[in-house]
Amino acid sequence: MTHDRNVANKEKKIDTGLVAALTRDAYRNAKPNDIFTIVSGDNDYVPAVQQLREDGFQVDVVFWSHAGKELRAAASNFISLDDHLDSLRV
């Protein structure tokens, strides 16, 4: 699937589409005590993270330390990849 691009030549609606799918899957498939892990630093995920947390789920965010401040604050846990850079290099 492709989406239109904005004036900066970036695809639009990608993050919101992922957030919508995440939320839909959460309510269709999640069981109590399930943990959601998001590998992104984009604040577009904040509303979904907040809703999942309000509904009792743990939501961990894994990304570099420059992840959005709001997203880091909304997450149950923020795990920075910065300290693992050497392990991630090929």
Side-chain angles (χ1 to χ4, degrees), residues 1 17 37 46 64 81:
M1 174 181 284
T37 302
V46 170
W64 311 107
L81 291 173

Side-chain angles (χ1 to χ4, degrees), residues 60-75:
D60 297 340
V61 172
V62 180
F63 205 67
W64 311 107
S65 62
H66 67 272
K69 187 175 181 180
E70 278 185 85
L71 181 61
R72 291 191 324 240

Side-chain angles (χ1 to χ4, degrees), residues 3-81:
H3 292 278
D4 294 334
R5 293 183 174 267
N6 64 15
V7 293
N9 200 31
K10 293 186 177 182
E11 287 184 332
K12 302 182 323 185
K13 300 180 188 170
I14 298 298
D15 294 333
T16 54
L18 291 171
V19 170
L22 164 77
T23 304
R24 182 193 63 220
D25 288 349
Y27 292 105
R28 285 186 179 172
N29 303 311
K31 297 173 184 66
N33 299 317
D34 277 355
I35 299 170
F36 290 84
T37 302
I38 296 173
V39 183
S40 175
D42 194 321
N43 282 331
D44 285 348
Y45 287 95
V46 170
V49 170
Q50 290 173 331
Q51 186 65 60
L52 288 166
R53 294 218 39 221
E54 287 172 11
D55 291 342
F57 293 102
Q58 178 178 325
V59 182
D60 297 340
V61 172
V62 180
F63 205 67
W64 311 107
S65 62
H66 67 272
K69 187 175 181 180
E70 278 185 85
L71 181 61
R72 291 191 324 240
S76 305
N77 298 299
F78 176 74
I79 302 158
S80 175
L81 291 173

